[in-house]
Amino acid sequence: METRILGRTRGRFDEAAAFLKAGEVVAFHTETVYGLGANAFDDEAVLKVFALKGRPADNPLIVHVHGDYDIAPLIDGEPPYAAALRAAFLPGPLTMVYPSTGKVSKYVSCGLNTLAIRVPSSPVAQAFLRAADLPVAAPSANLSKHVSPVTAQHVYDDFHGRIPLILDGGACSGGIESTVLDCTGEIPQILREGLVTREMIASVAGDCGIYRRKEGERPKSPGMAYKHYSPRCETAFCRSAEEANAIYDREKARGGAPCILCESGAIAALGGRAALDLGGTGEEMAQRLYALLRRAETAATLLIGIEPRVRGGVMAGVMNRMLRAFGGDHET
Ligand code: AMP
Ligand code: MG
């Protein structure tokens, strides 16, 4: 199968929608990362997404809809704070988990009695979802465990020859996946941190918890239990430039090509060693992280991450992704 990357081509949204309705899987730009979408009502198409990615069968998918899509038939009621959160943050990088009515394919939620729904703000995603006028089940468009894609080329690198088309919307402005928020309880609870922060949610809903899995309990957001976001090179993670420099010099001495990934403020302490600059703010780091991880895996034998000092806001989400990318903390 030829995989086409469609930029500003006339009719591309209708073409993508037609593929979707025919049971095919298509990739599309969103403001967080690129998604790999299937008609959420179509069992076989949803299973195709799992097969294409090599995704574990117990890791549920988020359903994407356009801004005017009526989600009422898909969800079994909602708490009072949910409407306020929708008004404040949608369309945008916030996924809301509701009690499900079971109308979409049972493979979307992997046996959970909830359904995760998101309304992306990307104009490309919106136009595609409007043309389809269906709920589109879409995880990130990367092979399972690999780094999430933030350009159409990243999607192509993982899936060329296996999907018919990629709706190109350029580089993703957000850069890390959506915040996943459990809206089934009395107060909302964050299952996965992202660009919409706990403070932002609490300022609208009055309160906001962060889910921590209890011993022996089935995780509420199964995806968080897996190894994730891993570049295909050796990695090391440290807390200081001194430590990173020592590891770097050892790798260089044995003939390797090391590289250090760190916030802008740490670069001066690296003494000219090869570095990838994450930026100075949480937003910059979110936007650059995955693209830099993908660049590192093609160029470096060893990628050495330095823990950023910047804290607060979206840094909770950035740190979560960094720790996973560098091989630690597979459980939340
Ligand atoms: P991805 O789209 O690849 O970023 O993965 C989707 C994330 O949403 C995973 O971490 C899933 O565990 C989570 N998710 C999807 N559906 C649900 C749901 N019904 N309840 C809780 N988490 C969900
Ligand atoms: Mg993913």
Side-chain angles (χ1 to χ4, degrees):
M1 179 188 290
E2 185 203 356
T3 301
R4 285 174 301 145
I5 299 180
L6 297 185
R8 296 181 178 278
T9 321
R10 185 195 296 252
R12 64 178 171 149
F13 298 118
D14 289 333
E15 191 183 347
F19 273 121
L20 201 78
K21 287 175 183 163
E24 292 292 343
V25 171
V26 297
F28 60 101
H29 175 270
T30 85
E31 71 279 18
T32 57
V33 304
Y34 276 74
L36 191 65
N39 174 359
F41 292 125
D42 182 339
D43 284 347
E44 277 183 34
V46 172
L47 286 174
K48 229 184 246 184
V49 170
F50 284 89
L52 278 164
K53 283 183 58 104
R55 185 175 177 97
D58 65 350
N59 189 5
L61 308 181
I62 295 169
V63 154
H64 294 63
V65 295
H66 64 73
D68 297 316
Y69 191 86
D70 181 14
I71 62 167
L74 305 183
I75 65 172
D76 192 8
E78 60 171 5
Y81 58 77
L85 289 173
R86 274 209 301 276
F89 299 117
L90 302 190
L94 176 67
T95 295
M96 297 169 71
V97 175
Y98 302 95
S100 175
T101 52
K103 293 276 194 309
V104 298
S105 163
K106 61 178 186 287
Y107 299 112
V108 170
S109 291
C110 304
L112 298 173
N113 57 7
T114 52
L115 181 65
I117 302 181
R118 170 162 132 71
V119 183
S121 63
S122 148
V124 168
Q126 279 289 323
F128 165 55
L129 293 167
R130 275 179 202 283
D133 203 26
L134 284 168
V136 173
S140 51
N142 53 280
L143 292 169
S144 192
K145 299 193 182 78
H146 195 204
V147 181
S148 299
V150 291
T151 65
Q153 184 63 44
H154 294 157
V155 181
Y156 187 87
D157 291 342
D158 278 14
F159 292 110
H160 65 89
R162 303 179 66 208
I163 59 174
L165 64 86
I166 302 168
L167 290 173
D168 190 355
C172 301
S173 58
I176 60 172
E177 297 81 353
S178 60
T179 303
V180 178
L181 188 69
D182 180 5
C183 297
T184 63
E186 264 177 35
I187 63 162
Q189 206 179 27
I190 291 180
L191 301 177
R192 175 176 74 186
E193 282 160 313
L195 296 168
V196 177
T197 64
R198 180 188 199 173
E199 295 74 31
M200 290 161 72
I201 294 164
S203 74
V204 172
D207 201 354
C208 178
I210 296 197
Y211 173 70
R212 300 269 176 246
R213 179 182 166 189
K214 296 186 194 75
E215 277 270 339
E217 184 187 62
R218 184 179 177 189
K220 267 197 182 177
S221 192
M224 299 305 277
Y226 291 109
K227 184 167 163 63
H228 239 107
Y229 320 124
S230 315
R232 291 172 177 154
C233 57
E234 294 295 313
T235 58
F237 196 69
C238 20
R239 295 188 189 275
S240 71
E242 294 67 40
E243 212 185 317
N245 290 344
I247 298 172
Y248 182 105
D249 293 345
R250 268 205 307 277
E251 177 71 2
K252 198 85 185 166
R254 62 165 210 105
C259 185
I260 299 176
L261 177 73
C262 62
E263 65 194 337
S264 306
I267 301 243
L270 304 181
R273 292 173 179 83
L276 294 168
D277 182 357
L278 267 173
T281 65
E283 283 71 18
E284 277 174 0
M285 294 193 227
Q287 198 180 62
R288 295 183 194 177
L289 177 64
Y290 290 148
L292 295 180
L293 290 174
R294 288 228 181 200
R295 197 193 302 170
E297 70 182 7
T298 63
T301 53
L302 173 68
L303 179 67
I304 306 156
I306 305 180
E307 182 177 336
R309 300 240 167 108
V310 173
R311 283 285 177 273
V314 304
M315 281 310 291
V318 171
M319 282 305 302
N320 168 288
R321 301 327 188 266
M322 271 192 96
L323 288 174
R324 281 155 194 272
F326 284 90
D329 192 23
H330 301 149
E331 284 277 350
T332 307

